[in-house]
Amino acid sequence: MTNRILFVLMLVAGLTAPLFAYPVFVMDLLCFALFACAFNLLLGYAGLLSFGHAAFFGGAAYITGYVTKEWGFTPLLGILAGAGFAMVLGAAFGFLAIRRQGIYFAMVTLALAQIIYFLALQMPFTGGENGLQGIPRGHLFGLIDLNNSLTMYYFVFAIFVIGFGIIYRTINSPFGEVLQAIRENESRALSLGYDVDHFKLLAFVISATLAGLAGATKAIIFQFAALTSAHWQTSGEVILMTLVGGLGTVFGPVVGAILVGALSHELSAFGSWVQVILGTIFVVCVMVFRRGIIGELQRLVSRKQG
Amino acid sequence: MSMQVILAQALLGLNVGVFYAMLSLGLAVIFGLLNIINFAHGAMYMLGAFIALIGYSLLEQWFGISLQIGFWASLLVAPVIVGILGVLIERLMLKRLYELDHIYGLLLTFGITLILQGLFANYFNVSGTPYPGQPEALSGVVNLGFMYFPTYRLFAIVFSLVVCFATWWVIEHTKLGSRLRAGVENPDLTQAFGLNVPLMVTLTFAFGAGLAGLAGVLAAPIYSVSPLMGADLIIVVFAVVVIGGMGSIMGAILSGLALGLVEGLTKVFYPPAASTVIFFLMVLVLLFRPAGLFGKEK
């Protein structure tokens, strides 16, 4: 029930956002929100900490940029190509990473993602440190001009809602229940007859694909695939967003992405102090605020009811 | 390709390898007792290098103290300072997280990494500052018969190897080490025998941190001192640790050395792959020997 109200609120806020905020900035936040939701599916529901999600986010951006710029793909097709790449990459990384557990899983994903980072830095088509520039926004279905930032905004918002919907359905399905069972007690899930590795891999692939969807969309918005999107610091940022908003909550990552995104934007004049501040928030969250904003709110509400 | 080029690159690779070995050794020692991965290990390595740099050339300018801490003194001062920082981190923060999922320890130390890195990035150039304090006695080159090799690098290799093997010896062959291993094996029982396990944990973390700081000082005269020097290194060291497995101290040392060597040789045969070869080896190890070369799956 609460979720339904919150969802309607989010829709209204999203549809009216361009009236009171700069559309490009909101689009950026939407991409990060989708990215964080995809990440949360893995850590919040399956209990798997991936420290390499930047590879899917950044990798998809490069692929989308390349196929729309060099092969003349339409924007939608380009975004799908990017997300498809993230899906394949997710299957490969997931297959390798689930062979180790816990803390090793995090290290393996981080190291694998670093391969993508170096490829993005060294391959001939990626533009090295400058990133892949001059990606066309193009026309949606060959008809609707996306160079208009309002049209672009609603296109991005539609992608966000679809991605969010997929994650919501996944969490609230029998599949999602099994994921949570694995998070709570992996050996018990295994002894109940669930093929744990199969579930983990599928969760990893879905999460990677949607992270790729977010990165691909971002490349079209900014007409630019940035090397920083594939850097480990981006993987860290998405963890922070999810943690601040609330791990394992439906709307937490959205709230966290908006907060952290807005904060980084506001503080961008302070240079490296941004990093110090984000690091401090990280430490504070881990030490005393592990439920995150939405998690704490939920606790307050349920305490009042109980 | 001449044998000389290959040998030269192998030695340079070994030089990188000793840093991998020192860092993965520290990670393994900490992991054994605390079950956490210290993401800030790279930042502590960077901190060690900066303490040497500041101690040598900035004390007067920054703090008005007319004192210069030379290279030899830094080898002692930097690990101690980084170790004290380690004690603070363990006592004030990590200690409260032991009951929780181990990923929180990783996340906490990641946050600390961002803070340290950001602080130094405010005052120092990201592209690096050269360390001017390399001692006179270690400048120049030595004739190894088949090639001339920088004296300092040779010193760094030998010194690090001595530190690594001394650590191994202490852990495997002394009374102190046997107590430590008992703590790893069964902390509750060890405590019941009257050993102060929490103190052991704190000192172990401080020791691992100090080792990273020491590696930083040794690296300062070779690489320029930069706020990002630890971040790029630590991810490679993670891959080293996944390849080696953290089950054994000797395993951590040997895989560090071997992978540095592999990286150095890749620079000769196929330079573009030098920065990723260790990650690809990690993929192979995960496919064929998931627990790592020296690892025991917990």
Side-chain angles (χ1 to χ4, degrees):
Chain A
M1 191 56 206
T2 357
N3 273 349
R4 201 163 289 177
I5 297 170
L6 283 172
F7 186 70
V8 172
L9 273 178
M10 191 177 76
L11 274 186
V12 173
L15 287 171
T16 54
L19 295 177
F20 46 83
Y22 181 49
V24 176
F25 176 56
V26 186
M27 284 191 265
D28 193 23
L29 292 184
L30 283 174
C31 287
F32 272 115
L34 179 58
F35 185 25
C37 287
F39 174 79
N40 183 42
L41 174 67
L42 204 56
L43 178 59
Y45 291 92
L48 298 171
L49 171 60
S50 160
F51 230 112
H53 257 45
F56 311 121
F57 187 73
Y62 276 102
I63 296 299
T64 300
Y66 186 76
V67 296
T68 47
K69 188 181 169 189
E70 303 294 334
W71 295 351
F73 274 36
T74 61
L76 188 60
L77 216 55
I79 288 174
L80 289 178
F85 169 77
M87 184 164 80
V88 175
L89 195 66
F93 281 15
F95 174 75
L96 290 167
I98 60 170
R99 300 170 79 87
R100 301 304 300 268
Q101 274 149 356
I103 219 97
Y104 279 103
F105 183 91
M107 287 196 286
V108 169
T109 44
L110 178 60
L112 288 172
Q114 203 69 354
I115 298 180
I116 299 298
Y117 175 78
F118 279 112
L119 285 179
L121 185 63
Q122 292 172 342
M123 295 250 292
F125 79 90
T126 56
E129 296 199 4
N130 300 322
L132 185 61
Q133 301 184 354
I135 299 167
R137 276 193 180 176
H139 290 69
L140 188 57
F141 311 120
L143 292 169
I144 307 162
D145 188 1
L146 288 181
N147 288 305
N148 177 323
S149 67
L150 216 53
T151 323
M152 186 71 204
Y153 175 80
Y154 286 106
F155 174 56
V156 172
F157 187 62
I159 291 177
F160 169 77
V161 171
I162 292 169
F164 186 86
I166 293 173
I167 293 166
Y168 187 78
R169 277 310 307 146
T170 311
I171 294 169
N172 293 290
S173 67
F175 174 75
E177 296 291 328
V178 177
L179 286 187
Q180 288 168 58
I182 294 173
R183 179 193 64 188
E184 293 305 324
N185 191 333
E186 185 167 338
S187 359
R188 183 172 295 172
L190 193 65
S191 70
L192 286 172
Y194 290 107
D195 184 350
V196 168
D197 279 353
H198 177 79
F199 280 92
K200 280 188 189 171
L201 181 59
L202 197 55
F204 197 92
V205 173
I206 296 173
S207 175
T209 311
L210 292 170
L213 182 66
T217 310
K218 189 171 169 163
I220 298 284
I221 300 169
F222 290 96
Q223 305 182 273
F224 172 48
L227 186 62
T228 48
S229 302
H231 194 253
W232 56 266
Q233 228 147 2
T234 303
S235 298
E237 248 168 67
V238 79
I239 299 175
L240 182 62
M241 289 170 179
T242 314
L243 205 60
V244 168
L247 212 59
T249 64
V250 177
F251 293 96
V254 181
V255 174
I258 292 171
L259 269 179
V260 174
L263 192 71
S264 317
H265 182 78
E266 289 299 319
L267 296 175
S268 55
F270 292 93
S272 298
W273 287 110
V274 180
Q275 241 193 7
V276 179
I277 291 164
L278 290 183
T280 310
I281 298 175
F282 229 114
V283 170
V284 170
C285 276
V286 172
M287 292 308 296
V288 294
F289 198 62
R290 282 183 290 271
R291 286 191 186 85
I293 293 167
I294 298 290
E296 286 292 346
L297 285 178
Q298 277 176 352
R299 200 171 63 113
L300 280 181
V301 169
S302 67
R303 200 187 257 176
K304 218 169 245 177
Q305 285 167 347
Chain B
M1 192 157 316
S2 78
M3 202 59 206
Q4 258 170 347
V5 177
I6 294 176
L7 275 173
Q9 281 300 333
L11 262 182
L12 288 174
L14 192 65
N15 194 190
V16 179
V18 292
F19 291 121
Y20 290 164
M22 270 177 107
L23 290 175
S24 64
L25 172 65
L27 281 180
V29 170
I30 291 173
F31 183 80
L33 208 52
L34 284 77
N35 267 314
I36 66 142
I37 285 293
N38 179 22
F39 201 109
H41 220 64
M44 289 167 165
Y45 162 83
M46 168 203 79
L47 193 60
F50 270 110
I51 291 170
L53 178 71
I54 293 169
Y56 191 81
S57 48
L58 290 167
L59 277 183
E60 176 134 36
Q61 194 184 327
W62 281 16
F63 306 104
I65 310 165
S66 53
L67 178 75
Q68 190 180 50
I69 300 174
F71 174 78
W72 300 110
S74 294
L75 284 179
L76 188 67
V77 172
V80 167
I81 295 179
V82 179
I84 291 171
L85 179 74
V87 170
L88 293 177
I89 290 173
E90 200 277 334
R91 276 281 141 128
L92 299 178
M93 295 190 266
L94 277 175
K95 204 175 163 205
R96 293 159 210 268
L97 300 175
Y98 291 146
E99 301 296 312
L100 304 166
D101 194 323
H102 299 317
I103 59 170
Y104 284 110
L106 183 72
L107 294 179
L108 176 82
T109 48
F110 178 74
I112 293 172
T113 304
L114 289 185
I115 295 174
L116 286 174
Q117 207 170 287
L119 279 178
F120 281 97
N122 276 308
Y123 300 105
F124 291 95
N125 198 332
V126 178
S127 58
T129 317
Y131 174 72
Q134 180 181 316
E136 205 52 47
L138 298 175
S139 58
V141 292
V142 265
N143 188 355
L144 294 177
F146 55 92
M147 66 176 290
Y148 289 96
F149 196 70
T151 314
Y152 180 78
R153 279 175 182 264
L154 196 66
F155 161 78
I157 292 175
V158 174
F159 187 87
S160 314
L161 285 178
V162 169
V163 170
C164 284
F165 286 105
T167 307
W168 168 80
W169 190 81
V170 167
I171 292 175
E172 298 290 335
H173 294 285
T174 63
K175 192 146 194 179
L176 179 70
S178 69
R179 288 175 178 178
L180 213 61
R181 280 180 285 132
V184 173
E185 197 76 33
N186 192 333
D188 294 334
L189 200 59
T190 313
Q191 178 115 31
F193 277 128
L195 290 174
N196 190 344
V197 174
L199 182 69
M200 262 161 57
V201 166
T202 306
L203 292 182
T204 302
F205 191 79
F207 175 76
L211 216 50
L214 182 64
V217 179
L218 284 172
I222 302 177
Y223 312 105
S224 336
V225 183
S226 124
L228 298 178
M229 65 192 284
D232 298 329
L233 191 65
I234 195 65
I235 301 178
V236 183
V237 173
F238 279 177
V240 170
V241 159
V242 172
I243 292 172
M246 285 190 289
S248 88
I249 299 295
M250 190 50 99
I253 299 173
L254 291 182
S255 39
L257 294 176
L259 289 166
L261 214 57
V262 168
E263 194 185 282
L265 291 177
T266 312
K267 276 197 186 118
V268 186
F269 294 107
Y270 188 63
S275 46
T276 44
V277 64
I278 293 181
F279 300 121
F280 283 112
L281 284 175
M282 181 191 78
V283 170
L284 286 180
V285 167
L286 284 171
L287 283 175
F288 297 109
R289 209 183 144 82
L293 297 180
F294 302 89
K296 303 170 278 206
E297 192 74 68
K298 277 213 176 182

